[in-house]
Amino acid sequence: DWSSDVCSSDLATAPSNWFLEQHEVWEQYCFSYEFGEEFICVEIGGSWFQLYPYGSHPYKYQLRNPEIGFIKLWNPTKWSSSIQSKQSIHLQLCSKYIHSHSITELNDLVKSICSHFVDNVSALSIMISRVDLHSDITNGSKMLSYEEIENTITRCKVKSSYFEDSEVKFEDTELEDLKDLVENPRYCNKGVQKLITPDLLKRFIQLAENQTTNGAKNIISKNELETAYFGKVGSSIWGKVYDKTKQIQYKNDTDTPLLWYENGWNGEDKVVRVEFSMKRKFLKELDNGNYITLHSFIDNIHKVWKYLTENWLRFVEVKSINNSTWSKVSVFWITVQSSFTETIDTIIRKKNY
């Protein structure tokens, strides 16, 4: 299943007349906005989005609907300057929005959103900026053991494990807000609020990210294993395996269990999530960049999953010291590998980590 998806659009089109008209209104709103005022809302495709009174570099505007995600837009009066970066429109879709639609619908949904901002949506090429893939597997009454995590063969250089209650936790939306404030600091002398400085925000972010990057096998022992990271968070490719049942309790997530029940979950078994996060740099290295566009990625998602679970990371019964290819894949990982449609094609990555 999809976990989250960040797409950017490579446009050979011009901004729509509607967007140009809105630009005049939005620009005036951003200029006159005073700290503490509520954000205005804009209707797009039957859904309401908050318009932030500030952009997110290099984008002029950003809009957010908590059920759908972020829309970030280039300045329509400087549209041609965005062609080189191929990111005139940047969409960050929430996982729950993606889960509410089939994979085959996703490309059309993205184009439907973009159609409000360009004059010719048929000329639009949707390029992936970042995409996450995951699979949820029941594992009886327990989470994976530390020994099972250690019996892995991976191409990543960094592997870290975290145990229950041993880490400072941030919501994804909290980190996004912090990063946005770092990139777009707001200074205001009105009122009595003491504003958080960009330097302090950077240290908050560093605290969260350093938890997963302190060495090749960083272990913090406390109670039951909760999360294992493979690769450095934020790099072009990284993965994690974690106790999803514990996370939904922590986040008070009531939507995910409904998906599990629909697929036969008994309501008691531990659910282990295997998740990979990929950026465009990584996708460019797979089969000469054949999976960069959203359409091609969707059509070949089984090939990408095959590479991730057979070449980039494997859980095995016992690691063979002399020849890792002889190591027998664990029963748990066989289930992970079969999460997406199997393929006989071989995927080739130019660069290995």
Side-chain angles (χ1 to χ4, degrees):
D1 206 346
W2 296 78
S3 176
S4 64
D5 177 24
V6 179
C7 298
S8 59
S9 55
D10 177 9
L11 302 181
T13 59
S16 66
N17 290 331
W18 179 84
F19 185 24
L20 289 170
E21 293 172 357
Q22 294 298 311
H23 164 64
E24 297 180 5
V25 178
W26 295 356
E27 192 170 45
Q28 180 60 36
Y29 159 70
C30 294
F31 178 77
S32 60
Y33 176 82
E34 294 198 11
F35 184 79
E37 293 180 343
E38 292 187 0
F39 297 169
I40 66 171
C41 292
V42 180
E43 184 179 7
I44 300 173
S47 300
W48 290 94
F49 287 77
Q50 281 187 321
L51 174 65
Y52 284 39
Y54 46 84
S56 176
H57 184 76
Y59 299 98
K60 174 74 172 178
Y61 301 113
Q62 55 178 339
L63 304 101
R64 179 177 179 265
N65 179 310
E67 300 297 319
I68 298 176
F70 271 99
I71 303 175
K72 298 181 181 181
L73 303 165
W74 205 270
N75 189 333
T77 62
K78 301 179 180 179
W79 202 252
S80 59
S81 63
S82 69
I83 300 302
Q84 186 176 0
S85 65
K86 300 182 179 180
Q87 294 189 162
S88 301
I89 302 176
H90 189 99
L91 304 182
Q92 182 175 345
L93 303 180
C94 297
S95 58
K96 56 185 174 182
Y97 177 72
I98 297 173
H99 290 162
S100 65
H101 301 87
S102 68
I103 288 179
T104 54
E105 294 175 323
L106 189 56
N107 196 65
D108 290 337
L109 286 169
V110 171
K111 285 201 171 186
S112 177
I113 294 173
C114 292
S115 66
H116 295 84
F117 307 105
V118 298
D119 62 351
N120 183 12
V121 72
S122 61
L124 197 64
S125 177
I126 307 298
M127 312 286 284
I128 291 178
S129 177
R130 198 204 83 218
V131 61
D132 298 345
L133 292 179
H134 73 261
S135 177
D136 291 344
I137 312 293
T138 55
N139 196 54
S141 61
K142 61 183 179 63
M143 172 59 179
L144 297 177
S145 67
Y146 173 63
E147 290 71 24
E148 288 175 296
I149 296 297
E150 281 295 280
N151 282 332
T152 53
I153 299 171
T154 176
R155 296 189 176 188
C156 72
K157 294 181 179 179
V158 178
K159 181 166 67 175
S160 305
S161 299
Y162 290 91
F163 292 74
E164 183 180 3
D165 299 327
S166 66
E167 59 180 311
V168 178
K169 296 180 180 180
F170 293 88
E171 296 284 353
D172 292 341
T173 53
E174 290 175 330
L175 287 177
E176 285 295 327
D177 289 341
L178 288 173
K179 290 178 180 178
D180 177 68
L181 286 171
V182 171
E183 295 174 356
N184 305 279
R186 269 84 69 191
Y187 300 96
C188 179
N189 294 321
K190 298 181 180 180
V192 297
Q193 296 94 337
K194 183 178 291 186
L195 298 181
I196 298 176
T197 65
D199 178 66
L200 178 58
L201 294 177
K202 287 178 182 178
R203 282 184 277 133
F204 269 114
I205 296 169
Q206 184 179 9
L207 171 65
E209 293 182 342
N210 279 353
Q211 292 180 143
T212 61
T213 58
N214 291 333
K217 293 186 178 179
N218 182 39
I219 305 300
I220 303 176
S221 298
K222 184 175 181 182
N223 300 326
E224 187 180 59
L225 178 69
E226 187 173 295
T227 306
Y229 294 88
F230 299 88
K232 182 179 179 180
V233 176
S235 61
S236 63
I237 170 66
W238 63 279
K240 64 179 178 177
V241 178
Y242 59 102
D243 185 345
K244 186 62 179 178
T245 43
K246 184 174 292 293
Q247 189 194 64
I248 64 172
Q249 294 171 2
Y250 169 74
K251 292 188 174 182
N252 197 25
D253 178 359
T254 58
D255 294 330
T256 301
L258 294 177
L259 293 174
W260 294 346
Y261 280 119
E262 291 176 359
N263 286 276
W265 185 49
N266 62 14
E268 297 180 359
D269 285 348
K270 287 278 189 181
V271 177
V272 179
R273 173 164 291 189
V274 177
E275 183 174 319
F276 297 95
S277 182
M278 296 156 278
K279 291 185 178 180
R280 184 181 300 176
K281 178 182 177 182
F282 169 78
L283 293 176
K284 283 182 177 180
E285 297 167 0
L286 298 182
D287 282 358
N288 297 316
N290 287 340
Y291 315 123
I292 289 296
T293 67
L294 180 59
H295 185 270
S296 64
F297 184 88
I298 291 173
D299 285 348
N300 295 281
I301 194 171
H302 54 288
K303 296 181 182 179
V304 177
W305 188 257
K306 177 181 173 69
Y307 175 84
L308 294 171
T309 59
E310 294 186 11
N311 298 80
W312 197 81
L313 176 64
R314 282 182 293 145
F315 280 54
V316 297
E317 299 292 348
V318 179
K319 283 196 291 187
S320 174
I321 298 177
N322 296 327
N323 192 336
S324 61
T325 59
W326 293 354
S327 300
K328 183 180 179 181
V329 176
S330 69
V331 174
F332 170 78
W333 201 250
I334 290 174
T335 305
V336 173
Q337 290 176 331
S338 61
S339 298
F340 291 82
T341 306
E342 295 182 0
T343 176
I344 59 173
D345 295 335
T346 299
I347 192 167
I348 300 172
R349 186 184 181 196
K350 287 184 177 181
K351 179 180 180 182
N352 296 327
Y353 287 91

